[in-house]
């Protein structure tokens, strides 16, 4: 709702979309066009985001009343002219209409996300034509047509009423979503610095939708107040969640330093292999993991992060390239285990374990190397969260390592940047050019590996005596 208010009242506070956002949008448009190309006799687009919306809505109604043509990007307006909707397609089925939207998702969760949008289109069709559509559908990233079960009309009406109230209000809503939701939002640079400056408790990872209103009612809506609270008293007041965490996070923020829950108990005396994958989260890509990065650290206490020798297997384009990269990585992992049977593979968060399992399902194992690797992994992020609280907004490796003083070779690099860079390299006309474009991705991944070692070293050094 805050984003809605900002879009209407202060759009200048938002940043334009990133190159990655544009890439996602392009991906969506390409999918929509593919779907459109498969519908015979399609008329449109009637409204492509530019031009006269009212005229497009009139033309849509005229075509629906006088023809049975399937329509591309038809426009619908509410009776009061305050709501508009442009579904991707409207099709005829017997005497009824079918609304269909093209979506790139492949996971079932995408269908849930489409419910309210389709309810909106459905309501507009009913207002325009006097009858609701026969059904609403999406065609997903695999070109499967899925029926969308609409929410009760009252839910949609309530949402519209809330949105209208937000738009009409002169005051910016004082709401903050979770950091993971906000990070990709164009208004992040407006909302988060203000929340940090003013000490909103919403910036703490342990604060959520359940306990934030409870804490605010107790007068603990700002970090200094929460930092001074007694966890036992908070529990007695019915505060949801781990109250020790709430207070510890608030204290860490208020004092601007890391606080330890317990000694981290880091494994010692083993060869460490820093392990980090770069992948493309888009649905149905041929190469989900395009870089397998690692660095063998046989003497962790004697080797600095800067001195790590980082290696990477980068997948060539296409399914064959994907498989070849996986096989190459397994070969290298086998060689590492041969030289360092005790190797402990350090990764950050669930991503590496999840994708290792998926590749094992996708292509199978070889001499049980993948299975051995799965049994030799250590999640540094998990260990960190279990043992320490830091005064940061998220526990991504970027933020944690930066807080501990790690310097990235290029601060503009990030996972989204890396995906765009890989796509560019993939499209390069020759191998030499492709290799040249891969170089910055290697550096970026090497930075991630070194950042992990920096966090590990800090935990070993400072976490011994909490
Ligand atoms: S940054 Fe977060 S709180 Fe602010 S508008 Fe975006 S999603 Fe909403």
């Amino acid at each position: 709702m805050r984003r809605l208010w900002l879009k209407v009242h202060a759009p200048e506070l938002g940043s334009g979309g990133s190159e990655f956002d544009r890439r996602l949008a392009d991906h969506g448009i390409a999918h929509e066009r593919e779907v459109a190309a498969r519908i015979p006799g399609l008329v449109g687009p009637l409204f492509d985001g530019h031009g006269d919306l009212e005229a497009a809505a009139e033309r849509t109604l005229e075509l629906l009343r006088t023809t049975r043509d399937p329509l591309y990007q038809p426009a619908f307006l509410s009776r009061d002219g305050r709501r508009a909707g442009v579904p991707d397609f409207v099709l005829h089925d017997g005497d009824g209409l079918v609304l269909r939207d093209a979506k790139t998702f492949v996971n079932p969760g995408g269908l849930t996300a489409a419910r309210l949008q389709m309810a909106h289109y459905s309501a507009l069709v009913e207002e325009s034509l006097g009858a609701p559509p026969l059904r609403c559908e999406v065609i997903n990233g695999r070109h499967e047509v899925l029926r969308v079960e609409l929410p009760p009309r009252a839910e949609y009406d309530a949402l519209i009423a809330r949105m209208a109230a937000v738009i009409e209000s002169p005051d910016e809503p004082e709401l903050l979503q979770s950091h993971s939701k906000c990070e990709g939002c164009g208004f992040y640079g407006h909302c988060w610095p203000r929340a940090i400056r003013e000490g909103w408790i919403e910036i703490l990872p342990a604060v959520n939708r359940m306990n934030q209103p409870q804490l605010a009612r107790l007068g603990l809506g700002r970090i200094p107040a929460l930092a001074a609270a007694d966890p036992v008293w908070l529990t007695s007041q019915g505060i949801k969640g781990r109250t020790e965490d709430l207070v510890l996070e608030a204290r860490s923020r208020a004092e601007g330093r890391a606080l330890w829950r317990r000694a981290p108990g880091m494994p010692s005396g083993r060869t460490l292999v820093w392990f980090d994958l770069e992948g493309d989260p888009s649905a149905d890509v041929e190469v989900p993991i395009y870089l397998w990065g690692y660095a063998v650290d046989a003497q962790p206490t004697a080797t600095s992060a800067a001195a790590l020798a980082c290696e990477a297997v980068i997948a060539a384009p296409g399914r064959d390239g994907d498989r070849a990269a996986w096989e190459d990585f397994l070969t290298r992992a086998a060689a590492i285990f041969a030289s360092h049977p005790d190797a402990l593979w350090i990764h950050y968060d669930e991503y590496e374990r999840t994708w290792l399992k998926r590749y094992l399902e996708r292509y199978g194992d070889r001499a049980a190397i993948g299975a051995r690797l799965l049994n030799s992994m250590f999640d540094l992020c998990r260990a960190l969260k279990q043992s320490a609280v830091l005064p940061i907004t998220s526990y991504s490796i970027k933020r944690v390592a930066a807080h501990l003083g790690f310097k990235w070779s290029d601060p503009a690099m990030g996972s989204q940047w890396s995906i765009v860079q890989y796509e560019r390299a993939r499209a390069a006309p020759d191998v030499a050019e492709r290799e040249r474009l891969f170089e910055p991705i290697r550096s970026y991944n090497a930075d991630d590996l070194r950042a992990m070692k920096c966090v590990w070293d800090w935990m070993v050094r400072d976490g011994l005596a909490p």
Side-chain angles (χ1 to χ4, degrees), residues 41-192:
L42 191 64
V43 173
L46 297 176
F47 185 73
D48 64 358
H50 305 282
D52 187 339
L53 179 62
E54 250 176 70
E58 276 172 26
R59 175 95 179 112
T60 298
L61 291 186
E62 184 195 327
L63 286 167
L64 287 174
R65 286 183 181 128
T66 57
T67 76
R68 290 184 59 80
D69 293 333
L71 304 182
Y72 184 24
Q73 295 179 336
F76 296 97
L77 282 175
S78 63
R79 279 191 211 105
D80 62 6
R82 298 184 71 200
R83 286 173 294 130
V86 182
D88 291 335
F89 308 101
V90 60
L91 315 168
H92 291 263
D93 183 1
D95 290 336
L97 295 177
V98 176
L99 296 181
R100 187 179 287 174
D101 244 31
K103 303 279 183 201
T104 53
F105 72 81
V106 290
N107 298 322
L111 204 54
T112 310
R115 286 169 71 240
L116 276 167
Q117 185 184 10
M118 298 311 281
H120 174 59
Y121 296 150
S122 174
L124 292 174
V125 166
E126 188 171 359
E127 282 186 45
S128 306
L129 297 166
L134 212 52
R135 62 182 182 277
C136 293
E137 300 170 343
V138 297
I139 182 157
N140 71 4
R142 292 199 188 104
H143 287 268
E144 297 161 333
V145 176
L146 307 170
R147 187 173 182 140
V148 181
E149 296 302 334
L150 301 186
R153 175 69 196 225
E155 190 182 324
Y156 169 73
D157 288 341
L159 177 69
I160 292 298
R162 278 209 311 279
M163 290 171 81
V166 165
I167 290 170
E168 278 157 23
S169 167
D171 302 320
E172 182 180 344
E174 297 222 330
L175 301 167
L176 199 70
Q177 298 284 345
S178 67
H179 190 266
S180 56
K181 278 195 186 146
C182 290
E183 218 168 8
C185 172
F187 294 103
Y188 179 85
H190 164 71
C191 298
W192 277 76

